[in-house]
């Protein structure tokens, strides 16, 4: 029985959630995870400051090309495999079931690290904004706990409600960044220079750090396939949304980072970015368009972070659901809300966020890092580790695409989609992963190796090894369950029919 056939033959009220998402909705989910304003104000300024290289705009275009090649095989496989645990299912069916379970736990950990880590920057940003505008000192973890509650509510509601909320927020983010770009090119204190787009400005010592920072800006684009079971037409929706998101993200960030270099002035850029950080964008808008515009941009910076939190929360919840449905994790994780959302997975992710945030809040009490504590620890540590895990997974998925079509002796869309593109993607992503490992201390803002340099990668690697061992144990203990690993609704349907 094919996956496509089984998906439609199952009782939709029991086995499939309501299919509400179109290309625009899934694209918005992806771009929301990328958080455009957050990347510009936080990521791009940090990259300029830390690396001292002007070629950051070109790096976004280069990485966009790499990920577009990866997306060719990824999209081809999405037409054959529709599963809420996308990476998990792809690796299980393309390489092996143990590798799939290992990949699933790496994905779970990576998405959780990304999601919970963003709370650190969110808490700092909101508490700083409240302090500046109202003179009230609010501990960073208070707005975080309030945000966790709101994200939890959205997580158990209709998925298209999340998409609509994120769509509105992302549209406003784009508007602010476009205004910033236009003003930057208009001001151009040193003229509009094409130097930031020159290969000579990128391919010099330090390029590895630039690419390591840059890849994090794209994290979330690969999540399209996670929504395959909730898409109106997954065979067309997922590939189109993936390609659209990669193209928009690469071009938008490339142009916006170029605008930052031009608007600030290449000769002053590194110094100002180092001193002001995210405030570079807001102070620039305040100086040229007034305080009101700057305040609106800062508020949208908060909503940008919120949008990313919702998007990553949804991804985690769907991984939990997928693994619970196939009994790789406890069966109760399969529970859905009356809206079809993965209720149990959403609640577990919420619980993880509360526990981790509480731990960092206690650990940071009285820290010498002061107000920046949640940014320099919770945000920096967890999001960089999460990005490392996702890049590793994408390299593995590229290999699984080749294996999937080779096993079936079918070249979906030709050799380019089934073999050539995923092979190139696997090599390119493996190189990027190596660059992240080599520059990990730089990404963490450390001048030397510390225990954190080893603990964070271990949070990614150890669960993967544990997943492989767990799958091998399942093969001995429960062969039937093992057979269903990575086959989503097909496996779930077979299981239910067997019970009947």
């Amino acid at each position: 029985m094919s996956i496509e056939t089984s998906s439609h033959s199952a009782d939709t009220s029991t086995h499939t959630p309501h299919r509400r998402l179109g290309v625009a909705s899934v694209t918005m989910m992806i771009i929301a995870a990328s958080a455009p304003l957050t990347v510009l104000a936080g990521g791009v300024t940090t990259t300029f400051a830390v690396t001292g290289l002007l070629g950051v705009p070109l790096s976004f275009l280069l990485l966009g090309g790499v990920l577009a090649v990866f997306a060719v095989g990824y999209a081809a496989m999405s037409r054959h495999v529709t599963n809420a645990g996308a990476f998990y299912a792809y690796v299980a069916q393309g390489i092996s079931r143990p590798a799939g379970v290992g990949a699933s736990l790496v994905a779970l950990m990576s998405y959780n690290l990304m999601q919970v880590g963003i709370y650190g920057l969110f808490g700092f940003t909101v508490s700083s904004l409240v302090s500046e505008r109202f003179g009230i000192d609010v501990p960073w973890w208070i707005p975080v706990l309030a945000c966790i509650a709101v994200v939890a509510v959205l997580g158990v509601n209709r998925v298209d409600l999340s998409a609509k909320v994120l769509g509105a927020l992302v549209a406003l983010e784009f508007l602010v960044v476009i205004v910033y770009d236009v003003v930057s090119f208009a001001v151009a204190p040193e003229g509009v220079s094409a130097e930031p787009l020159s290969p000579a400005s990128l391919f010099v010592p330090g390029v590895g750090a630039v690419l390591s920072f840059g890849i994090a800006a794209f994290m979330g684009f690969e999540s399209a396939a996670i929504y395959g079971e909730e898409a109106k037409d997954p065979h067309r929706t997922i590939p189109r949304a993936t390609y659209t998101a990669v193209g928009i993200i690469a071009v938008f960030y490339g142009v916006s980072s170029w605008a930052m270099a031009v608007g600030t002035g290449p000769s002053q850029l590194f110094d100002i970015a180092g001193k002001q950080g995210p405030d570079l964008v807001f102070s620039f808008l305040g100086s040229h368009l007034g305080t009101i515009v700057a305040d609106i941009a800062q508020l949208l910076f908060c909503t940008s972070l919120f949008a990313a939190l919702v998007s990553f929360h949804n991804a985690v919840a769907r991984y939990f659901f997928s693994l619970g449905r196939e009994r790789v994790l406890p069966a109760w994780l399969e529970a859905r809300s009356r809206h079809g959302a993965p209720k149990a997975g959403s609640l577990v992710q919420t619980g993880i966020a509360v526990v981790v945030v509480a731990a960092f809040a206690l650990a940071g009490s009285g820290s010498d890092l002061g107000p920046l504590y949640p940014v320099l620890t919770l945000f920096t540590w967890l999001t960089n580790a999460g990005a490392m895990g996702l890049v590793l997974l994408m390299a593995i998925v590229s290999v699984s695409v080749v294996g999937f079509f080779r096993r079936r002796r079918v070249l979906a869309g030709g050799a380019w989609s089934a073999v050539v593109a995923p092979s190139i993607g696997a090599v390119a992503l493996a190189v990027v992963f190596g660059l992240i490992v080599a520059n990990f201390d730089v990404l963490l803002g450390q001048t030397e190796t510390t225990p954190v340099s080893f603990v964070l990668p271990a949070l990614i690697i150890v669960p993967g090894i544990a997943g492989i061992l767990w799958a091998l144990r399942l093969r001995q203990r429960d062969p039937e369950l093992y057979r269903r690993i990575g086959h989503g609704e097909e496996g779930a349907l077979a299981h239910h029919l067997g019970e009947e």
Side-chain angles (χ1 to χ4, degrees):
M1 183 184 293
S2 70
I3 292 174
E4 291 86 347
T5 302
S6 66
S7 296
H8 293 290
S9 63
D11 179 357
T12 56
S13 65
T14 304
H15 302 296
T16 61
H18 300 292
R19 295 185 177 274
R20 295 190 173 100
L21 301 179
V23 174
S25 297
V26 176
T27 301
M28 283 299 177
M29 290 282 199
I30 298 170
I31 296 176
S34 177
L37 187 54
T38 299
V39 169
L40 179 65
V44 174
T45 54
T46 300
T47 306
F48 277 129
V50 172
T51 66
L53 296 184
L54 272 180
V56 173
L58 180 59
S59 74
F60 283 117
L61 301 179
L62 178 63
L63 288 169
V66 170
L67 296 179
V69 172
F70 161 80
V72 171
Y74 191 61
M77 196 164 176
S78 73
R79 296 186 178 96
H80 296 262
V81 180
T82 302
N83 192 300
F87 280 158
Y88 157 62
Y90 288 12
V91 176
Q93 296 194 41
I95 299 178
S96 70
R97 287 171 173 81
V101 176
S104 73
L105 296 190
V106 172
L108 260 181
M109 184 60 73
S110 298
Y111 280 120
N112 267 302
L113 288 169
M114 293 291 287
Q115 203 269 357
V116 178
I118 293 171
Y119 277 121
L121 183 56
F122 179 86
F124 168 78
T125 303
V126 173
S127 62
S128 296
L129 190 59
V130 171
S131 178
E132 291 173 6
R133 295 293 173 263
F134 304 103
I136 303 173
D137 291 329
V138 178
W140 66 271
W141 51 268
I142 290 181
V144 167
L145 292 179
C147 182
I148 290 175
V150 176
V151 171
V153 171
L154 288 174
V156 297
N157 271 281
R158 287 172 44 175
V159 68
D160 58 333
L161 172 62
S162 291
K164 289 174 182 177
V165 171
L166 297 182
L169 296 178
V170 169
L172 291 173
E173 281 185 66
F174 268 94
L175 179 60
V176 168
V177 176
I178 289 170
V179 168
Y180 172 82
D181 292 350
V182 171
V183 175
S184 294
F185 283 117
V187 172
E190 299 175 18
V192 178
S193 170
E195 187 180 356
L197 298 174
S198 168
S201 297
L202 177 63
F203 296 105
V204 295
V207 62
V210 172
L211 295 176
S212 299
F213 274 113
I215 195 69
F218 289 87
M219 291 302 95
F221 97 92
E222 78 298 329
S223 64
I226 293 173
Y227 300 99
E229 294 180 34
E230 295 159 282
K232 295 175 183 176
D233 184 358
H235 301 153
R236 284 185 289 184
T237 298
I238 302 310
R240 290 178 182 178
T242 301
Y243 288 128
T244 301
V246 171
I248 291 175
I249 291 171
V251 174
F252 192 66
Y253 291 163
V255 171
S256 297
S257 54
W258 181 26
M260 179 177 289
V262 170
T264 307
S267 67
Q268 307 176 67
L269 178 60
F270 308 131
D271 182 56
I272 293 177
K275 291 178 179 178
Q276 296 186 11
D279 283 339
L280 184 154
V281 173
F282 309 126
S283 62
F284 179 89
L285 290 172
S287 298
H288 296 92
L289 296 178
T291 305
I292 293 178
V293 174
D295 287 348
I296 292 174
Q298 279 190 295
L299 181 61
L300 286 173
F301 183 46
C302 297
T303 61
S304 171
L305 294 167
F306 173 76
L309 289 164
V310 173
S311 185
F312 280 116
H313 174 89
N314 287 340
V316 172
R318 280 151 184 79
Y319 263 97
F320 275 126
F321 163 79
S322 178
L323 295 172
R325 176 176 60 189
E326 298 185 18
R327 306 301 186 262
V328 173
L329 291 182
W332 54 266
L333 286 169
E334 184 184 10
R336 293 194 185 106
S337 70
R338 60 189 178 88
H339 302 290
K343 178 178 66 175
S346 179
L347 293 175
V348 169
Q349 203 288 319
T350 298
I352 291 171
V354 170
V355 170
V356 175
V357 167
F360 272 85
L362 290 172
S365 179
S367 170
D368 294 338
L369 298 176
L372 282 172
Y373 173 82
V375 177
L376 299 177
T377 57
L378 181 58
F379 173 71
T380 302
W381 293 356
L382 271 59
T383 56
N384 279 301
M388 172 189 284
L390 291 176
V391 171
L392 174 62
L393 281 170
M394 287 191 288
I396 295 172
V397 167
S398 294
V399 175
S400 74
V401 172
V402 177
F404 178 84
F405 290 114
R406 181 182 178 185
R407 288 181 178 183
R408 285 152 184 77
R409 297 181 180 179
V410 174
L411 296 181
W416 167 249
S417 298
V419 180
V420 180
S423 297
I424 295 173
V427 173
L429 287 163
V431 170
V432 174
F433 178 75
L435 291 172
I436 291 175
V437 173
N439 292 276
F440 200 56
D441 286 342
V442 176
L443 299 179
L444 298 181
Q446 300 177 161
T447 56
E448 59 183 19
T449 300
T450 68
V452 174
S453 305
F454 299 99
V455 171
L456 292 175
L459 290 176
I460 298 296
I461 303 301
V462 172
I465 296 173
I468 293 172
L469 296 176
W470 174 240
L472 293 174
R473 183 180 178 188
L474 287 176
R475 184 171 64 183
Q476 298 294 326
R477 195 180 70 180
D478 192 338
E480 180 60 24
L481 189 155
Y482 179 82
R483 188 188 66 79
R484 295 195 304 270
I485 287 176
H487 288 74
E489 292 181 329
E490 180 186 24
L493 177 61
H495 176 66
H496 283 291
L497 291 176
E499 288 182 343
E500 293 173 1

